[in-house]
Amino acid sequence: MNEEKGILLESGTNELEVIVFQVGTGTFGINVMKVREIIQAPPVTSIPNAHPHIEGIIRLRDEVLTVVNLTKVLGLPPSENPEHDKLIVSELNQIKVAFRVQNVSRIHRISWEQIEKPTELSQGLQNASTGIVKMDDQMILLLDFEKIVVDINPEKGINVKQVKSLGERERSYKKIVAAEDSAMLRKLLHETLSEAGYDQVTFFDNGRAAWDYLTFLKEDPKVDINQEVQLIITDVEMPQMDGHHLTKRIKEDEQLSGLPVVIFSSLITDDVYHRGKGVGANAQISKPDIVKLIQIIDQLIL
């Protein structure tokens, strides 16, 4: 499976593999790239005064992992047969965490074009989900695992305090395009980049929208693309078009290929780094290292 997945993502085909699982009566999904392994849920050691969503800790070989109970996160009834529960061991935002679920069913290979953002009328879904996958007989919610972790421990997120460590900075007139599907992270990126002097940032909530904007600029004879955009920041996971496919399109386009592209994602493992390099990314930074992101921007758009 890993070899096949690597071929898919290295070629920038805008596809992903999703592990489907159940929590309560709901059906949810997680990107295979975030999953290290799936295990039968062992006994969990509780932690005094822990966050309500934290069930406790387990020892998995030589590591101690925090267990997050997704029924509590999602406000669903607890498991009727906890002895049958599974733990999805994940790695994101440079940490490992285990999520308790009731059942793991199968892996689906899908296109990012099949994934839609929750509407504004579905505020509960917007807070919990990064997208909805419409399959033939069901809808699968892709959970926002990064937000789940940051809600539990805000120190694992992006904040302006990190930027202040860089000292006084001058305003920059350089123009940046950023593709990030999380509304929370778009807001945090806006605040932190502005604090760092980069306040000429145009945000898009998926790679397709960013690509359409770049296409519009390059096809306008009155516009010099190099005057309108000096750098692109992109997440990897996004509905409609992912960051690898966006990067691949930019680097294969004669007019756009010279634009620096920085991938800023919670998924920068060794394998994902290799795929990002394969599609031509100029740099890849793991969230939430906003200081390193700013330092890379400084280097690329001098």
Side-chain angles (χ1 to χ4, degrees):
M1 182 186 72
N2 288 337
E3 181 181 353
E4 200 170 84
K5 178 180 63 176
I7 293 170
L8 274 174
L9 294 176
E10 280 180 355
S11 60
T13 58
N14 206 35
E15 292 178 290
L16 76 157
E17 289 177 318
V18 172
I19 295 176
V20 178
F21 59 90
Q22 281 70 45
V23 179
T25 56
T27 302
F28 304 92
I30 181 171
N31 192 330
V32 166
M33 290 195 295
K34 294 180 179 177
V35 178
R36 292 295 158 260
E37 58 185 303
I38 298 170
I39 62 173
Q40 195 70 35
V44 177
T45 303
S46 61
I47 305 174
N49 302 316
H51 188 282
H53 296 166
I54 292 179
E55 184 176 335
I57 56 174
I58 61 167
R59 187 175 186 86
L60 184 61
R61 293 181 289 278
D62 294 329
E63 293 184 288
V64 175
L65 302 179
T66 300
V67 177
V68 174
N69 193 319
L70 287 182
T71 60
K72 295 181 179 180
V73 173
L74 300 169
L76 295 171
S79 176
E80 295 182 1
N81 300 295
E83 67 275 10
H84 297 150
D85 287 356
K86 302 287 194 298
L87 294 185
I88 298 177
V89 179
S90 304
E91 185 173 356
L92 58 153
N93 286 4
Q94 304 181 59
I95 62 170
K96 282 187 179 179
V97 61
F99 296 98
R100 179 184 285 273
V101 303
Q102 272 67 73
N103 184 46
V104 178
S105 55
R106 56 172 296 186
I107 295 176
H108 290 279
R109 180 181 298 171
I110 59 175
S111 167
W112 281 104
E113 292 181 353
Q114 290 176 250
I115 301 174
E116 297 183 9
K117 292 290 288 184
T119 66
E120 293 182 3
L121 295 176
S122 307
Q123 290 186 359
L125 293 183
Q126 282 188 309
N127 291 332
S129 172
T130 59
I132 301 172
V133 185
K134 293 183 178 180
M135 305 298 289
D136 293 336
D137 56 348
Q138 63 182 335
M139 288 198 300
I140 301 167
L141 269 64
L142 296 180
L143 291 180
D144 190 343
F145 289 93
E146 288 81 1
K147 184 176 185 298
I148 290 170
V149 170
V150 171
D151 284 347
I152 293 171
N153 185 356
E155 293 301 316
K156 295 298 181 182
I158 298 169
N159 62 70
V160 174
K161 291 180 182 177
Q162 296 168 326
V163 181
K164 292 185 183 299
S165 68
L166 294 171
E168 291 294 324
R169 294 176 58 85
E170 297 180 1
R171 295 288 95 188
S172 172
Y173 295 100
K174 302 291 186 178
K175 296 179 181 179
I176 297 172
V177 167
E180 167 60 62
D181 69 319
S182 168
M184 174 190 72
L185 286 175
R186 287 197 302 274
K187 180 175 182 293
L188 291 172
L189 274 174
H190 172 72
E191 292 173 354
T192 51
L193 289 174
S194 180
E195 178 69 21
Y198 296 109
D199 50 14
Q200 303 293 311
V201 185
T202 303
F203 285 93
F204 297 94
D205 64 5
N206 66 74
R208 172 75 62 187
W211 173 252
D212 289 345
Y213 175 71
L214 293 171
T215 301
F216 170 78
L217 291 179
K218 73 168 187 165
E219 291 180 351
D220 187 337
K222 300 177 183 178
V223 171
D224 180 352
I225 187 70
N226 295 307
Q227 294 297 317
E228 294 302 316
V229 183
Q230 280 81 52
L231 182 132
I232 293 146
I233 302 169
T234 179
D235 191 9
V236 170
E237 289 188 294
M238 294 180 290
Q240 301 302 309
M241 183 186 292
D242 71 9
H244 286 145
H245 192 65
L246 173 62
T247 303
K248 183 173 184 285
R249 282 200 166 190
I250 291 168
K251 293 303 182 180
E252 289 180 347
D253 186 279
E254 186 177 348
Q255 291 177 257
L256 303 175
S257 61
L259 292 175
V261 178
V262 180
I263 293 177
F264 187 51
S265 169
S266 63
L267 292 176
I268 308 298
T269 60
D270 289 343
D271 288 343
V272 177
Y273 184 89
H274 177 70
R275 292 166 196 144
K277 188 175 181 181
V279 293
N282 296 82
Q284 299 177 75
I285 312 299
S286 182
K287 292 175 182 172
D289 196 345
I290 188 68
V291 170
K292 188 172 181 181
L293 174 65
I294 291 165
Q295 290 171 336
I296 290 294
I297 294 172
D298 290 345
Q299 293 172 18
L300 290 174
I301 62 174
L302 283 176

